[in-house]
Amino acid sequence: MKSKHAFFVSRRIFCLLCAVVVCAIAAPAQATIRHEVSVAEPEKHIFHVKMTVPDVKDELIVQLPAWNALYQIRDFAYRVQNVRARDAGDTPLAMVKLDKQTWQMRGRGAVTVEYAIFWDDAGPFSTQLNASHAFINLATILFYVPARRGEASRIAFTGLREGWSVAVALRPGENSTSFVAANYDALVDAPVEIGEFQQFRFEAPGPERSAAIRVVIHGDGWNQERVTESLKKIVTTETGIMRDVPFDEFLFIFHFGTAAGGGG
């Protein structure tokens, strides 16, 4: 099984925050459920999301999670706006809101659900979209189908500003802004950085083989040699405890200087 892992780190005075780990295993040739996330309105802090679910037989129920990374129930759904659905023939579908985070509709074939969601919260367990970048914990913005959570997923990011790129620990899709995951849980376990960031790679000693490390940094006021030295110690210690290097590449995401926010 091939895997990639990801860490988010925010910094004011060089503090390492909590980690989010993602295991992305080999995806099937064609993913089932598709998500499209637009970051075209960063000044408004609004993500526009489109979810296409194929092979709907009649009833379709979608939800937004109430969990992400922390061991607590949270409320992301109050941020959702303008939920609507249509079938493959572009016919609007009636929707019923069953509770604050669950919607029901009826249709057949491919059903597309669209909505907007507001986020501008800094920190490793939140999501933020502004004029300088986007940092996304995908469970805070992506609906899922409870009855089909184990099906393969594909995600594409659109509306990127000129010079922006996407960094995420998922297997690449058909281009540099699309990615695939074995299922919804694998998809949302991968934090995303979008913007003009700097990055570098290095290898850290491991118990059986070297660990391949990728570092993505948004912000200023950092020193590559110091970051590399610190991360090598962390990676070497942790893989030594595990007596294994259970990933192909580990991704660290840092926010430094004026780009940093939150804490943990």
Side-chain angles (χ1 to χ4, degrees), residues 127-144:
T127 288
Q128 183 172 49
L129 174 61
N130 59 33
S132 68
H133 82 132
F135 175 73
I136 311 170
N137 279 295
L138 289 171
T140 65
I141 70 167
L142 293 185
F143 285 2
Y144 69 100

Side-chain angles (χ1 to χ4, degrees), residues 27 75 116 132 134-135 143 173 191-192 198 207 227 230 246 259 264:
D75 182 9
S132 68
F135 175 73
F143 285 2
V192 184
Q198 301 175 71
V227 171
S230 295

Side-chain angles (χ1 to χ4, degrees), residues 12 43 57 71 86 92 130 140 145 233-234 244:
R12 288 189 186 277
E43 288 83 2
K57 305 304 181 185
Y71 293 103
R86 54 186 168 84
N130 59 33
T140 65
V145 182
K233 292 178 181 178
I234 293 170
D244 190 15

